[in-house]
Amino acid sequence: MAAAPPDYQGIGTAFVSHYYNLFDTSRPSLAPLYRPSSLLTFEGEPFMGVDAILTKLTTLPFAKVAHQVTTSDFQPVMPDPVAPGMPAPPASVLVFVSGSLMVDDSPNPLKFSQVFHLSPDPANPMSYWVRNDMFRLNYA
Amino acid sequence: MAAAPPDYQGIGTAFVSHYYNLFDTSRPSLAPLYRPSSLLTFEGEPFMGVDAILTKLTTLPFAKVAHQVTTSDFQPVMPDPVAPGMPAPPASVLVFVSGSLMVDDSPNPLKFSQVFHLSPDPANPMSYWVRNDMFRLNYA
């Protein structure tokens, strides 16, 4: 039997608000959202693990940043059982955001799109971490 | 032991080329890429399953369309084992595309971003299907 899907809209909505709030006010505080196997692709450049990802995010060349989310879409990821009779792997949540970035005192917002794949913590299924993260600026 | 990651760059690159080629030349031919549990979110509107997804894609209000891919990023999705000693669920591939759409005879390209989550077919692990698909136009 397939498990019920998680409340992916609620999880995704809460995550987007939490993530960009931390990003815009205290980037080092993003660390607990990542794990050793987390993957980030930032403008095509790949990073793996909390240290590499946090180093990249905290050394981006701006002092002030504000994300404005324009659209956010969420889907559950419902894996099939690995073998008949086995429980299906836990469902995860796919998050797709588009919006604008205000950087330092520039009056011109930059458009961006970002994808997150959120996995539940096996020890605490109500808690999600970022397994996959892909970020792109959308140049005009 | 964790399985080796799939050739996610090769799989993703081949998929992107195949998908948009079919989309631009013969939208009904996209059907075999979807399954009954496939999810599409198109400009915020949700669809599930081959029939609903294909109906949406083949009734979009244009006669001619051409996708031009600007960036494409790929990541493996490497699930954890469901239980100790059990094999890990099969790895899948996350695809993140941005580009431009030329529609009918309009001279103005539309910017878009799209996410695909590709799962291997259990009966044929070299063959991938679209488990998740999210599409957004990026208005200026």
Side-chain angles (χ1 to χ4, degrees):
Chain A
M1 200 184 82
D7 172 22
Y8 58 93
Q9 296 274 3
I11 294 160
T13 304
F15 172 82
V16 167
S17 158
H18 183 57
Y19 185 91
Y20 293 120
N21 180 49
L22 290 179
F23 199 107
D24 293 350
T25 59
S26 167
R27 273 177 273 163
S29 306
L30 294 168
L33 295 175
Y34 294 95
R35 297 283 166 91
S37 59
S38 296
L39 299 175
L40 166 67
T41 305
F42 190 94
E43 287 286 279
E45 199 185 351
F47 302 89
M48 183 174 181
V50 186
D51 292 352
I53 291 171
L54 262 286
T55 298
K56 177 64 184 175
L57 297 182
T58 56
T59 57
L60 289 167
F62 44 74
K64 274 196 300 184
V65 59
H67 289 75
Q68 207 160 4
V69 172
T70 308
T71 65
S72 46
D73 295 306
F74 312 110
Q75 286 185 355
V77 178
M78 306 285 292
D80 304 311
V82 176
M86 287 296 299
S92 54
V93 178
L94 215 49
V95 175
F96 182 28
V97 178
S98 73
S100 301
L101 268 174
M102 306 295 293
V103 170
D104 289 331
D105 297 311
S106 166
N108 302 316
L110 304 168
K111 313 283 283 178
F112 76 95
S113 302
Q114 192 161 11
V115 180
F116 299 98
H117 177 217
L118 308 179
S119 282
D121 183 340
N124 175 9
M126 298 303 288
S127 172
Y128 286 75
W129 59 281
V130 179
R131 189 183 288 278
N132 301 88
D133 180 352
M134 296 196 267
F135 176 92
R136 277 282 176 186
L137 291 172
N138 301 131
Y139 297 102
Chain B
M1 200 185 83
D7 172 21
Y8 57 95
Q9 296 275 2
I11 294 160
T13 304
F15 172 81
V16 166
S17 156
H18 184 56
Y19 185 91
Y20 293 119
N21 180 46
L22 289 179
F23 200 107
D24 294 350
T25 57
S26 167
R27 274 179 271 163
S29 306
L30 293 168
L33 295 174
Y34 294 95
R35 296 282 166 92
S37 59
S38 295
L39 298 175
L40 165 66
T41 305
F42 189 94
E43 285 287 280
E45 197 184 352
F47 303 89
M48 182 175 183
V50 186
D51 291 352
I53 291 171
L54 262 285
T55 298
K56 177 64 184 176
L57 297 182
T58 55
T59 58
L60 288 167
F62 43 73
K64 273 195 302 183
V65 59
H67 289 75
Q68 208 159 3
V69 172
T70 307
T71 65
S72 46
D73 296 308
F74 313 110
Q75 286 186 355
V77 177
M78 305 286 293
D80 304 311
V82 176
M86 289 294 302
S92 53
V93 178
L94 215 49
V95 175
F96 182 28
V97 178
S98 72
S100 302
L101 269 173
M102 305 298 292
V103 170
D104 288 333
D105 296 312
S106 166
N108 301 315
L110 304 168
K111 312 283 283 178
F112 76 96
S113 302
Q114 191 161 11
V115 181
F116 299 97
H117 177 215
L118 309 179
S119 282
D121 183 340
N124 176 7
M126 297 304 289
S127 171
Y128 286 76
W129 59 281
V130 179
R131 188 182 288 276
N132 301 87
D133 179 352
M134 296 197 267
F135 175 91
R136 279 281 178 187
L137 289 172
N138 301 130
Y139 297 102

